[in-house]
Amino acid sequence: MDPGQVEAARNIVLRQLTASAKSRRQLEDKLADRGVPESVAMTVLDRFQEVGLVDDVSFAQTFVRSRAETRKLARPALRRDLQAKGIDPDVAEAALQQRTDEQERQDALELVRRKAPSGEQLATQMAERSTRDKLTRRLVSMLARKGYAPGMAFDVVKEVLGELSQDSEY
């Protein structure tokens, strides 16, 4: 094995990890893109894994916490993102256990409250059935894109619009 290739691969991995945490698969792909031979890549990544700098379990746990907090993604969307990053399905499921149904519901409520119109705009959209249905579809679609189940999405939207309608009547 060429020591120059090993050093080059090591530097690529270090630069990647300096930018942000990465899964082993992401690093494998980056090394392959840079033309690093597979045997060299595996040797370097095995060593990084031995010293704990590449850890898919830790990466998945952190990824789930971060994305759930910042983007308010539901477990199906998080699962999809972890799969795309090459995380083993069992590791992904273990990381997703951090999220409870109640946390997801609270996140969905927060998202809808933030995106729903207020004041006069809300009153206008709630006054007529067609515009109310359009608003409901728009909010449910927003939740669906973030991985929320349709049943929960409709319940949350109905609850928030009901709250907002009551608040605007006073």
Side-chain angles (χ1 to χ4, degrees):
M1 201 171 300
D2 178 8
Q5 286 181 325
V6 171
E7 185 63 25
R10 203 171 85 66
N11 288 334
I12 291 168
V13 172
L14 285 172
R15 275 195 308 275
Q16 290 297 308
L17 291 174
T18 299
S20 65
K22 302 271 189 295
S23 69
R24 181 177 174 117
R25 167 87 163 286
Q26 288 176 294
L27 294 169
E28 287 172 5
D29 291 347
K30 183 55 77 173
L31 290 172
D33 289 348
R34 298 282 176 90
V36 174
E38 187 175 343
S39 62
V40 172
M42 292 306 135
T43 300
V44 168
L45 290 174
D46 287 346
R47 180 65 184 138
F48 272 82
Q49 204 162 349
E50 282 174 31
V51 298
L53 292 174
V54 174
D55 180 358
D56 280 357
V57 172
S58 174
F59 172 80
Q61 295 281 337
T62 303
F63 183 85
V64 167
R65 270 193 310 275
S66 171
R67 287 292 174 99
E69 189 175 308
T70 59
R71 298 187 61 213
K72 305 294 185 203
L73 296 178
R75 286 173 288 203
L78 291 166
R79 185 178 293 110
R80 214 175 22 252
D81 288 352
L82 287 170
Q83 181 182 6
K85 293 184 179 307
I87 299 297
D88 178 80
D90 293 335
V91 171
E93 287 307 314
L96 292 169
Q97 294 303 310
Q98 301 175 78
R99 301 281 296 150
T100 65
D101 291 342
E102 186 54 32
Q103 287 171 319
E104 283 193 358
R105 183 171 177 74
Q106 290 305 315
D107 286 348
L109 286 165
E110 184 181 327
L111 283 167
V112 173
R113 286 181 181 125
R114 206 176 341 157
K115 294 287 186 183
S118 59
E120 189 61 39
Q121 188 179 18
L122 175 67
T124 302
Q125 291 188 23
M126 294 298 286
E128 193 177 311
R129 181 183 176 111
S130 64
T131 55
R132 183 176 55 241
D133 289 350
K134 183 177 177 180
L135 173 62
T136 300
R137 281 193 307 277
R138 188 174 58 79
L139 293 170
V140 168
S141 295
M142 179 265 305
L143 290 176
R145 286 188 299 277
K146 291 187 174 282
Y148 292 90
M152 180 206 273
F154 275 106
D155 288 347
V156 166
V157 169
K158 183 178 175 185
E159 180 180 331
V160 171
L161 290 180
E163 290 170 3
L164 293 173
S165 292
Q166 285 180 339
D167 289 349
S168 68
E169 289 174 7
Y170 300 109

